[in-house]
Amino acid sequence: MKPVEAEGLVRTFGDVTAVAGIDLQVDEGEIFGFLGPNGAGKSTTVRMLVTLLRPTAGNARVAGFDVVKDADSVRRLIGVALQDAAIDPLMTGNELLRLQAVLHGLGHRRAANRSAELLERVGLTGAANRRVGTYSGGMRRRLDLALALIHRPAVLFLDEPTTGLDPTSRVAVWEEVRALNDDGTTVFLTTQYLEEADELAGRIAIIDGGVIVREGDPTVLKGRVGDPTLRVEVADNATIELARRVLGAFGDERPARDGRVAIGLRGGAPRLTEVVRALDEQGVPVAHFELDSPSLDDVFADATGRRLEGAET
């Protein structure tokens, strides 16, 4: 039995197909990254898996139970921290945790002990009796984690856990997710951040347009892309076609943003001098020049023919 299994999962909204028949399997004790741009179908998939949406077709089992037929059993065994979770700003962190514990059937003494334990774990002990409305974005996300963990779930679903956070808060959330996984928690992580998926996930699936376009170990997927990506930004857009012809002699073109040409540079870094000389001889003014090892953005580009929105930020 897998913690998360889905076969032919479909969800439509009228004439719009948000999820178009995906298959998923998540292994026990892993961090599974579900990666894709906004509107790709990530959050819709999660909402089906956590019983907030009924699938239009297909089936899914979470923690051993069918998400439609045994929805109550699924809810008792999972933890969920959604991107748009509503938290009462007038309650304190401690009050919210105790309320969540009681709702999950913990007695008052166990609720108090578990709340204190989790507040310490996510670094909020000092803010336990402050109203949540005074919390920063990073503090709210860490409280979300604590609320999702109150009943020791078998599977933890995190939907875009670091969206909108500053770099320091993002790293703090990453560290907590790693610690949870080290303790044996299976984590299903949706994200649009390439770095986040690379940092945390042992296995990923990339979804685009409601279908899974790549799946596997991030290192293996990047290795299959092959040559490093050379990106050249020209100073004069009038010369971009000339730059494309020059660079075409050094490798196959890859998707790039406006004003840039990207190729898979055959032979890698040792050929950079040749490339620079060729561009100079043809009078191509270069504004920016970079060579990167294959990334998850390259994997996405290889699968879809375009770059993942926000991948450079």
Side-chain angles (χ1 to χ4, degrees):
M1 181 193 73
K2 302 280 187 180
V4 179
E5 298 175 284
E7 296 178 351
L9 204 60
V10 175
R11 176 66 198 199
T12 60
F13 297 93
D15 295 332
V16 177
T17 300
V19 177
I22 64 172
D23 299 331
L24 284 174
Q25 286 198 343
V26 177
D27 294 327
E28 187 172 356
E30 77 172 338
I31 299 178
F32 184 84
F34 201 42
L35 177 67
N38 286 329
K42 300 190 306 297
S43 293
T44 300
T45 300
V46 169
R47 280 166 167 74
M48 287 189 283
L49 294 175
V50 302
T51 75
L52 292 178
L53 279 176
R54 290 176 67 95
T56 304
N59 59 80
R61 294 172 66 85
V62 175
F65 293 95
D66 187 280
V67 298
V68 175
K69 298 175 184 176
D70 305 303
D72 287 343
S73 297
V74 171
R75 291 175 194 137
R76 282 194 294 268
L77 292 169
I78 63 173
V80 183
L82 298 178
Q83 183 182 354
D84 55 359
I87 299 179
D88 188 340
L90 298 180
M91 294 182 71
T92 69
N94 195 29
E95 288 170 343
L96 280 167
L97 280 165
R98 291 192 182 205
L99 175 61
Q100 186 87 332
V102 170
L103 290 174
H104 278 285
L106 278 67
H108 287 289
R109 178 172 294 180
R110 287 181 62 203
N113 291 338
R114 183 66 173 151
S115 298
E117 173 190 335
L118 287 172
L119 284 165
E120 181 176 0
R121 175 160 201 165
V122 299
L124 291 175
T125 301
N129 295 315
R130 281 172 46 190
R131 290 187 177 184
V132 174
T134 68
Y135 284 16
S136 67
M139 293 168 71
R140 281 173 172 255
R141 294 309 281 162
R142 298 204 306 276
L143 179 61
D144 277 346
L145 270 178
L147 290 166
L149 293 168
I150 197 77
H151 58 305
R152 304 183 191 276
V155 186
L156 176 63
F157 288 87
L158 300 178
D159 186 22
E160 306 277 5
T162 63
T163 296
L165 298 188
D166 61 82
T168 300
S169 297
R170 181 173 297 168
V171 170
V173 171
W174 289 355
E175 290 175 350
E176 187 54 41
V177 172
R178 287 194 194 96
L180 292 169
N181 184 244
D182 289 342
D183 286 346
T185 303
T186 300
V187 180
F188 190 103
L189 168 75
T190 73
T191 183
Q192 60 181 311
Y193 294 124
L194 298 167
E195 185 184 9
E196 186 158 271
D198 235 350
E199 281 281 340
L200 295 175
R203 202 159 55 88
I204 66 166
I206 299 176
I207 186 172
D208 185 52
V211 298
I212 292 176
V213 294
R214 286 289 190 277
E215 184 175 0
D217 180 298
T219 301
V220 173
L221 292 176
K222 288 184 288 185
R224 289 176 184 163
V225 173
D227 297 318
T229 298
L230 174 65
R231 297 181 181 87
V232 176
E233 182 178 347
V234 297
D236 179 2
N237 278 337
T239 62
I240 195 162
E241 289 304 321
L242 177 57
R244 186 170 279 116
R245 289 197 297 274
V246 172
L247 292 170
F250 295 92
D252 295 331
E253 187 170 359
R254 290 178 176 170
R257 290 170 175 75
D258 290 343
R260 290 187 174 190
V261 180
I263 62 168
L265 181 59
R266 290 191 293 269
R271 301 201 68 192
L272 283 176
T273 302
E274 294 177 60
V275 174
V276 172
R277 185 182 299 117
L279 289 168
D280 185 56
E281 287 174 353
Q282 294 298 318
V284 178
V286 175
H288 184 73
F289 195 91
E290 64 184 57
L291 181 68
D292 295 319
S293 299
S295 67
L296 287 180
D297 188 27
D298 294 317
V299 175
F300 181 84
D302 185 59
T304 66
R306 69 182 194 282
R307 292 286 167 185
L308 183 59
E309 182 182 359
E312 290 186 327
T313 59

